[in-house]
Amino acid sequence: MDAWDANAEELLHRAAGTPIRVVSAALRNRALLRDALGREGFRGVLAYTLSEAIWLAGTGICDDAVVAYPSADRRALSRLVSDEHLAGRVTIMVDDIAQLDLVDAVAAPEARAELRVCLDLDCSWQALRGRIRSGARRSPLRAPEDVVRLARAVVSRPGFRLVGLQAFETQFANAHDHLPRRGLRARLHRMIQKRSERDLAARRAAVIDAVCNVTDLEFVTGGGTGSIRDTAAAHGITEVAAGSGLLGPVTLDNNSAGYRPAAFFALPVVRRPGPGTVTVAGGGYLASGPADPLRLPVPWLPEGLRLSRSEGAGQTQTPLLGATADGLALGDLVWFRHGKAGELAEHFYSYHLVRGERLVDTAPTYRGDGKTFL
């Protein structure tokens, strides 16, 4: 929690007064969400599924939950449209008129609560008709005229109220500020990054102005942790979304902000196959994304241990190599860090919250609460 506090202050410093919407996928723990939302400068949650947003709003964690992605969960939609209290606290994400049709198929406008709607702008950089891309494949909404067309459809349609715009620049979310300065790959990365930044700045500003001419918006959100300083200063942005910086996962290690590692898991040594090798139980907690070394958990303490290239992190056991292994006995713990922030919570029932040398709380994760949203 000492590292958590330091990371929260770093995020607030980089946001420079722009409110931070907490990305729940990076935490997946109600106690940590409460802690973040209780700090001045943090406001609202960016949820990753509609059922999660309903649960967080219904249990009092927050009264302002924006669902980051469109939903086709008819059961959750039915719950939302039947409860005016929830409908006033949860905002759904839309990037296609067919998603509005889906809601109306669940409940006709005259028979349900009015739903809050946010439009999702695709912020990726593309060249050669999309064959070269930087950023995630998200929304089909790119040009201002496309966004305005959908905005007008929402505004004119009964049962919906357009309240927000999301412009989440995923290509900068884990931006590595300390990439090598030499080599063709590094130069190409910097060139694409610069072009992407210029394209997004102009296109996002044009989209925000165009949509605001259609209707008044309550919020325009961008993010995430890796780009929070630039996003907070961008034209028209009223809030930034961030979460992974609070826990400081491996993917942020090269970020110039210096977020401190705050989340760890420990596995016991169960075998000693030979000199310079121990085996720990479990360990195959891989991060999502492309299959590269950044998705593997990292042995942290004791220092001097590494994964086997031929076996990696295993489902039931993980061999660790290094001279340090010879000093470990059966039952000793090896501490690891996860590649990403929130996904670790899917593997454990609770987090132990520690300040200094003192255990201050044991907080159930979503899994410990009996919840699995994806």
Side-chain angles (χ1 to χ4, degrees):
M1 296 306 293
D2 303 297
W4 166 276
D5 291 341
N7 292 338
E9 288 302 313
E10 178 63 29
L11 285 170
L12 291 169
H13 171 71
R14 295 173 80 82
T18 300
I20 299 174
R21 184 176 291 275
V22 182
V23 177
S24 63
L27 304 181
R28 307 187 201 197
N29 184 298
R30 286 192 293 170
L32 294 182
L33 284 169
R34 284 195 194 96
D35 183 287
L37 292 171
R39 296 169 184 258
E40 185 175 356
F42 290 87
R43 185 182 71 193
V45 165
L46 188 66
Y48 60 97
T49 73
L50 178 56
S51 56
E52 180 212 13
I54 290 173
W55 181 61
L56 292 176
T59 54
I61 299 299
C62 72
D63 58 5
D64 176 13
V66 176
V67 185
Y69 310 95
S71 177
D73 186 340
R74 292 174 179 267
R75 180 175 296 180
L77 285 169
S78 180
R79 171 83 188 282
L80 183 65
V81 300
S82 64
D83 189 323
E84 289 191 7
H85 176 84
L86 287 175
R89 287 159 174 75
V90 174
T91 302
I92 64 172
M93 191 64 61
V94 168
D95 59 33
D96 191 317
I97 199 167
Q99 292 151 358
L100 304 178
D101 296 338
L102 178 63
V103 174
D104 284 345
V106 171
E110 64 274 12
R112 61 171 168 83
E114 182 181 65
L115 293 190
R116 296 165 52 84
V117 172
C118 179
L119 302 185
D120 193 15
L121 172 68
D122 180 76
C123 291
S124 66
W125 177 80
Q126 300 181 23
L128 299 178
R129 297 182 179 180
R131 283 177 285 183
I132 299 177
R133 173 189 293 267
S134 175
R137 290 169 170 81
R138 293 173 67 101
S139 168
L141 302 177
R142 290 185 55 79
E145 55 268 26
D146 296 330
V147 187
V148 166
R149 189 179 303 113
L150 185 54
R152 287 174 176 158
V154 175
V155 169
S156 64
R157 194 154 172 165
F160 298 99
R161 180 158 59 97
L162 182 58
V163 298
L165 177 68
Q166 176 177 257
F168 203 95
E169 53 272 40
T170 59
Q171 64 267 42
F172 311 130
N174 292 321
H176 295 320
D177 298 334
H178 295 162
L179 284 171
R181 295 183 178 273
R182 298 179 181 177
L184 178 61
R185 185 175 181 181
R187 291 197 298 271
L188 181 61
H189 174 88
R190 287 195 294 271
M191 181 190 74
I192 291 176
Q193 195 89 336
K194 290 296 183 184
R195 290 191 178 184
S196 179
E197 289 171 358
R198 289 196 298 267
D199 166 77
L200 178 59
R203 187 160 52 87
R204 179 169 55 191
V207 167
I208 292 172
D209 290 343
V211 174
C212 286
N213 285 331
V214 174
T215 188
D216 293 331
L217 297 177
E218 293 180 15
F219 64 88
V220 178
T221 186
T225 290
S227 61
I228 188 170
R229 175 172 287 163
D230 291 337
T231 303
H235 170 81
I237 293 292
T238 66
E239 62 180 38
V240 288
S244 60
L246 291 165
L247 293 181
V250 173
T251 49
L252 290 177
D253 278 358
N254 291 325
N255 190 283
S256 62
Y259 297 105
R260 292 172 54 182
F264 316 92
F265 64 97
L267 302 176
V269 173
V270 293
R271 285 179 171 173
R272 295 174 49 82
T277 307
V278 292
T279 301
V280 295
Y285 311 138
L286 307 183
S288 60
D292 61 35
L294 280 175
R295 313 302 152 181
L296 294 170
V298 174
W300 185 62
L301 288 176
E303 296 178 350
L305 296 172
R306 67 183 186 278
L307 298 175
S308 163
R309 288 187 177 182
S310 61
E311 296 189 52
Q315 174 180 317
T316 55
Q317 66 171 35
T318 297
L320 299 173
L321 311 179
T324 303
D326 292 332
L328 295 175
L330 296 183
D332 285 349
L333 295 179
V334 176
W335 293 84
F336 292 77
R337 295 174 60 207
H338 198 266
K340 287 192 173 181
E343 294 173 15
L344 184 61
E346 300 294 340
H347 298 283
F348 297 93
Y349 289 111
S350 60
Y351 283 163
H352 300 299
L353 309 185
V354 177
R355 291 191 180 278
E357 300 293 325
R358 186 169 59 92
L359 175 67
V360 296
D361 197 6
T362 297
T365 61
Y366 282 8
R367 178 177 178 174
D369 280 322
K371 300 294 182 180
T372 302
F373 295 110
L374 277 179

